[in-house]
Amino acid sequence: MDKRPYDLWAEVPSPIKTRLRNAFTAYAEECFQKDGILLKTYVPAQVGGNMPKEEYLKGMKPEDLPDACFLMDFGECSEATFAALAEKAYEKPEIRAWFPEVMAVDIRRLGERKIPETYDDLLREEYRGEICLIGNKKMPDPLAGLYMLRKYGPEGLEAFVQNVASFAPPSETLRHVGQLSNIYGSIFLMPPLFAQICLEKPAAKVVIPRSGALAEPMLLYQKPVAPAKEKVRGFFDSAAFRELMADYQMPAIGDNRFWIEKSCWKLATEEELEIVFHAFHKK
């Protein structure tokens, strides 16, 4: 891979990789035509692209890092090695968008039990073995677990973990929600992009708690001094970026279609995520 500095390196969810790459390329062409500024971006199809793991962002030297990074909070950002590196190279990161999750409920399997109205309801014993998360036991989606840890401590996290029955990608569980073949659970935590598909089924309901949706922050890191700093920032302030994110139900800052739960504005730490992952591993 070309190791010359990039103006922007973006590690984002798979559904938006191509659209983001194309949108930034179009924006870069406009900048070149207007001001003669050529912007370079790298949005790898897989995490880290074709770079060896030890070189991927956290293994780089500060001077080797891209001028800007757009990253998920639970990825490189939360690792101590990258955090220390970023502290030397970048300004304080800004939340520019959200990767939210909502509850898709299988009413048929839930039966007479009450439909949960808040994430806090997921601690109830009546939901033991009824919750399905994205990922797997080794690497579960930590979003809801992090919420429980912050609000209720280790005991609350433990109670939530005991209620989790399964892990699977939404593309797999969507086919089973409301069906007799559903062996995953009655409450699925998934991005609204997938949850909205469940609404096509009469035995499904999507719940967005009034207190706000849980969401993983999507962060923009920028070096204090970079030739195209303001141009890169301009992309994340653009209507094209907001519209792109809105199309995939990943709201940019300023898009109020989802009220974000207040605890999510605090960035995750490596220690918090280790506690969450450990709770699932020992189950």
Side-chain angles (χ1 to χ4, degrees):
M1 186 188 73
D2 183 359
K3 290 193 176 183
R4 290 176 298 170
Y6 285 89
D7 296 296
L8 175 68
W9 181 312
E11 289 282 7
V12 294
S14 295
I16 67 170
K17 284 181 182 291
T18 300
R19 278 281 303 274
L20 183 71
R21 184 187 300 115
N22 292 344
F24 189 84
T25 298
Y27 175 81
E29 290 174 351
E30 290 179 7
C31 290
F32 183 72
Q33 292 174 1
K34 181 179 179 181
D35 301 314
I37 297 175
L38 181 64
L39 300 177
K40 295 171 54 186
T41 185
Y42 184 52
V43 186
Q46 297 181 2
V47 176
N50 61 357
M51 296 190 68
K53 185 176 181 180
E54 62 272 12
E55 292 185 9
Y56 169 52
L57 291 181
K58 61 188 176 186
M60 291 182 177
K61 298 177 181 178
E63 59 269 25
D64 296 329
L65 286 170
D67 286 344
C69 280
F70 186 50
L71 305 172
M72 305 291 289
D73 184 36
F74 299 162
E76 293 294 338
C77 309
S78 60
E79 293 193 4
T81 304
F82 177 74
L85 186 66
E87 189 173 359
K88 296 178 182 178
Y90 295 124
E91 297 175 329
K92 183 178 179 180
E94 293 182 78
I95 298 174
R96 301 301 312 201
W98 299 97
F99 187 57
E101 290 184 11
V102 297
M103 292 184 281
V105 182
D106 184 333
I107 299 174
R108 172 179 286 174
R109 173 161 169 163
L110 191 65
E112 298 299 319
R113 288 169 292 187
K114 182 180 178 181
I115 294 175
E117 298 178 349
T118 68
Y119 296 105
D120 308 74
D121 288 345
L122 301 183
L123 296 178
R124 294 179 179 176
E125 290 187 9
E126 64 185 294
Y127 301 133
R128 180 68 56 88
E130 291 299 324
I131 299 173
C132 179
L133 300 183
I134 300 170
N136 52 59
K137 186 175 180 179
K138 183 177 180 181
M139 189 58 66
D141 172 15
L143 184 59
L146 181 61
Y147 170 81
M148 299 301 178
L149 175 66
R150 287 175 170 175
K151 189 167 185 177
Y152 298 103
E155 295 79 13
L157 171 61
E158 184 67 28
F160 174 70
V161 169
Q162 292 305 312
N163 284 357
V164 174
S166 59
F167 307 89
S171 56
E172 169 66 22
T173 55
L174 280 175
R175 294 180 294 154
H176 297 274
V177 174
Q179 304 296 322
L180 293 176
S181 60
N182 177 15
I183 61 173
Y184 295 97
S186 59
I187 305 167
F188 300 80
L189 298 187
M190 63 173 67
L193 177 66
F194 293 95
Q196 65 185 5
I197 300 174
C198 296
L199 293 177
E200 299 174 1
K201 303 179 179 183
K205 179 179 178 63
V206 174
V207 177
I208 304 176
R210 292 180 181 178
S211 59
L214 291 182
E216 180 179 357
M218 301 174 75
L219 306 173
L220 176 65
Y221 287 78
Q222 287 193 286
K223 290 182 177 179
V225 178
K229 179 180 179 181
E230 294 306 316
K231 292 296 182 183
V232 170
R233 186 179 183 84
F235 172 72
F236 290 94
D237 288 332
S238 69
F241 175 71
R242 291 194 300 272
E243 292 169 3
L244 183 161
M245 302 303 288
D247 284 348
Y248 290 90
Q249 305 292 306
M250 302 176 195
I253 291 296
D255 181 344
N256 297 318
R257 71 186 59 215
F258 283 103
W259 184 259
I260 304 301
E261 209 286 327
K262 61 181 181 180
S263 69
C264 298
W265 288 85
K266 177 185 176 184
L267 303 186
T269 66
E270 185 177 30
E271 291 75 18
E272 286 178 319
L273 294 178
E274 283 183 353
I275 292 172
V276 172
F277 291 139
H278 179 68
F280 281 101
H281 294 168
K282 70 178 184 179
K283 180 179 177 181

